[in-house]
Amino acid sequence: MSADGLIAAYFDTGALPDLPRDHFIDGRAVAPGAGGRMESFDPGRGTAFADFAAGDAADVDHAVTSAVAGFEVWSGTSPARRCAILNEAARLMRHEAEHLAVVECVDSGKTLAEARGDIAGSARLLEYYAGAADKLDGRSVNLGNDNAAFTLREPVGVTAHIVPWNYPTSTLVRGIAPALAAGCSAVVKPAETTPFTALMIADLLIRAGLPAGVVNVVTGTGIAAGAPLVRDPRVRHVTFTGSVATGVGVMQSVAPNVTGLTLELGGKSPLVAFGDANVDAVVEGALWAIFSNAGQICSAGSRLVIHRSLHAEVRDKLVARAQRLRVGHGLRGPDIGAVNSARHLAQIDDHVSRARTRGVEIVTGGEILTDVESGKGWFYAPTILDDLAANDDAVLQEIFGPVLAIQVFEDEAEALALANGTEFALAAGIYTRDIATALRMARRVDAGQVTVNDYWAGGIELPFGGNRKSGFGREKGLEGLDAYTRSKAVTLAV
């Protein structure tokens, strides 16, 4: 069915056809055990549209057992065959992109355009790591004698992937694609509010030729399913994306097993605009740095750190642009979609309400909205908080919503201090016409990824990850393979 047909059917019936409802273990759907089922909600309507399996420790044990057996098969599969299967998975994903995008839109609340971009990017991720599968070579080492020495890159084993709700497809694929290229198997626990695309992609991989057991998906809550997964001693690497508090808990859980860990946590990323910057570029960059995906992005440019000479002009233009943004159900083609859950919506509103109580100037937004056509759903108005102090909570705390905090600086030293003035260090954007200033700031700002004059520049070929409380380890790029391989040194005495 076409996207238009799926959309029409959904608004007519309140349901989507052919949604997977069970776990995916050992290459097939597996009904839930004692955990039963739980509902999934459409954030754009605020109502349940489907149910799915609520996993527990027994389901996780089944999945990890399957992954152990799957690893034995997959790690012995030739790199060229891995390459072919990942490329076929990318082809199938593009063929089924509209179905996946509609499901992603309804399940997460984001716009259909954003969901389509996520699916396209995920197919490209599969292709990128398909190309790496047969190039994971070791090296020959000169010991200076007659002995021969070389290194091997081996897969680490069973990997666990805890996937967040803001990017259910792309975060999943950026983890499992390099793991599969390296020869690892995987157990995936998607967020309990966005389970469906992970299940659909697991089935797609089997149809692409992946052996049963290599990728398994257990749905459910973090407490019931995620916690036993990361504690399982058979898991040799955990890739987690989520909050700092939960990430700390994951670290504590994997420590007794000395399990490898990649953490991609929160952010309070600055977009720093100097006095010589192009005003229109700053406005456009700042607008979508914070309002894309309703601000629910770890690397969102949630702070505009701007030179005083540009402050008023950029602020006023941003306010005008923000007020023209259309907020509504993702399937109706708005500029901004829904917030993922009623709970998260309340948290965003609480952040802004406390800022208002402190006397922070809210120059636009600051209120809960609903879809204009239905009067339902979980939405928050694009919001801008002006001229904040460096120690304000709205500067220091991750709001994870469509809320921009503006900070004003006088010189480069102050700009750098403000940019590095939080406990996070995930991303940063620098806007200036002066290449020397750009390079100087890029080197000195503490962030895992820095862009110049385009906040969302870069791509899957570049490593992504944070420093300090934004986490550690890198995903995407060739560096994304490092977590899933280990080096073995071999020496032959002659």
Side-chain angles (χ1 to χ4, degrees):
M1 188 182 296
S2 68
D4 289 343
L6 286 168
I7 293 168
Y10 177 69
F11 282 130
D12 184 48
T13 65
L16 289 170
D18 302 323
L19 281 179
R21 301 176 62 243
D22 298 328
H23 305 305
F24 194 90
I25 300 173
D26 201 26
R28 61 186 179 86
V30 174
R37 296 189 176 278
M38 55 194 301
E39 290 182 314
S40 188
F41 288 78
D42 171 2
R45 285 182 159 185
T47 56
F49 72 97
D51 65 19
F52 60 95
D56 59 17
D59 298 313
V60 169
D61 178 72
H62 184 189
V64 176
T65 299
S66 175
V68 170
F71 173 69
E72 293 302 315
V73 175
W74 188 240
S75 60
T77 300
S78 72
R81 179 63 180 154
R82 291 182 215 152
C83 173
I85 290 172
L86 290 175
N87 273 320
E88 175 62 9
R91 188 194 68 79
L92 287 174
M93 183 172 285
R94 286 201 167 90
H95 180 69
E96 300 168 18
E98 289 296 88
H99 189 193
L100 285 163
V102 170
V103 172
E104 183 93 325
C105 173
V106 172
D107 209 17
S108 70
K110 64 180 59 185
T111 69
L112 183 58
E114 288 169 332
R116 283 170 168 154
D118 292 349
I119 304 304
S122 297
R124 175 71 187 112
L125 276 162
L126 288 167
E127 291 173 338
Y128 181 82
Y129 288 110
D134 57 357
K135 301 171 185 67
L136 288 170
D137 301 324
R139 62 189 180 95
S140 175
V141 181
N142 183 357
L143 297 178
N145 54 35
D146 290 335
N147 291 346
F150 60 92
T151 65
L152 302 171
R153 290 184 75 176
E154 299 180 333
V156 298
V158 176
T159 63
H161 303 260
I162 310 298
V163 179
W165 48 258
N166 59 329
Y167 283 93
T169 296
S170 56
T171 306
L172 163 71
V173 177
R174 82 179 186 196
I176 65 169
L180 294 176
C184 299
S185 61
V187 179
V188 176
K189 209 297 285 182
E192 56 261 40
T193 59
T194 52
F196 294 114
T197 50
L199 294 166
M200 295 168 71
I201 290 169
D203 176 73
L204 180 152
L205 286 164
I206 291 293
R207 289 185 282 119
L210 193 74
V214 179
V215 171
N216 307 271
V217 179
V218 176
T219 55
T221 67
I223 293 174
L229 174 58
V230 301
R231 288 197 303 263
D232 195 303
R234 295 170 293 178
V235 171
R236 299 316 310 145
H237 189 87
V238 174
T239 296
F240 171 85
T241 302
S243 70
V244 174
T246 306
V248 170
V250 171
M251 289 180 69
Q252 293 169 336
S253 294
V254 305
N257 297 323
V258 197
T259 301
L261 181 61
T262 298
L263 291 180
E264 201 262 276
L265 306 177
K268 198 70 185 180
S269 300
L271 186 157
V272 183
F274 286 89
D276 65 341
N278 181 297
V279 168
D280 292 335
V282 172
V283 171
E284 187 71 14
L287 188 80
W288 295 115
I290 185 58
F291 297 136
S292 294
N293 202 31
Q296 300 167 117
I297 308 175
C298 296
S299 55
S302 53
R303 294 187 294 138
L304 173 59
V305 180
I306 189 164
H307 191 269
R308 187 167 299 280
S309 64
L310 297 185
H311 170 222
E313 182 182 7
V314 168
R315 177 202 59 208
D316 292 348
K317 288 187 173 184
L318 271 173
V319 168
R321 289 289 303 277
Q323 290 175 346
R324 291 199 300 269
L325 294 174
R326 297 169 296 114
V327 177
H329 194 288
L331 293 178
R332 303 190 200 277
D335 299 309
I336 300 179
V339 170
N340 183 251
S341 68
R343 176 183 177 184
H344 188 55
L345 180 64
Q347 291 172 341
I348 295 170
D349 190 52
D350 181 61
H351 275 289
V352 177
S353 295
R354 286 188 280 114
R356 183 181 286 111
T357 300
R358 293 193 302 272
V360 170
E361 184 181 6
I362 302 173
V363 291
T364 191
E367 59 181 334
I368 291 174
L369 303 175
T370 58
D371 178 63
V372 293
E373 293 196 32
S374 68
K376 299 178 181 179
W378 305 318
F379 299 87
Y380 205 79
T383 300
I384 299 175
L385 314 179
D386 193 31
D387 202 4
L388 294 173
N391 63 351
D392 192 272
D393 282 352
V395 167
L396 300 177
Q397 297 177 9
E398 185 179 38
I399 299 173
F400 214 65
V403 181
L404 177 66
I406 297 179
Q407 298 174 268
V408 182
F409 69 88
E410 300 285 354
D411 56 33
E412 185 176 322
E414 186 180 11
L416 182 65
L418 292 176
N420 288 337
T422 77
E423 61 186 4
F424 300 104
L426 185 53
I430 311 297
Y431 280 68
T432 177
R433 300 176 197 265
D434 185 348
I435 189 63
T437 300
L439 289 173
R440 199 162 51 243
M441 283 291 294
R443 290 190 180 99
R444 297 175 70 189
V445 70
D446 191 2
Q449 192 168 52
V450 180
T451 58
V452 177
N453 292 330
D454 179 354
Y455 191 82
W456 295 121
I460 67 166
E461 298 84 0
L462 290 168
F464 176 79
N467 306 328
R468 292 188 279 152
K469 285 197 175 178
S470 290
F472 52 78
R474 295 295 182 262
E475 298 185 88
K476 303 197 301 184
L478 293 178
E479 290 83 352
L481 292 156
D482 293 343
Y484 305 109
T485 64
R486 58 193 174 200
S487 181
K488 176 183 284 184
V490 179
T491 305
L492 289 79
V494 296

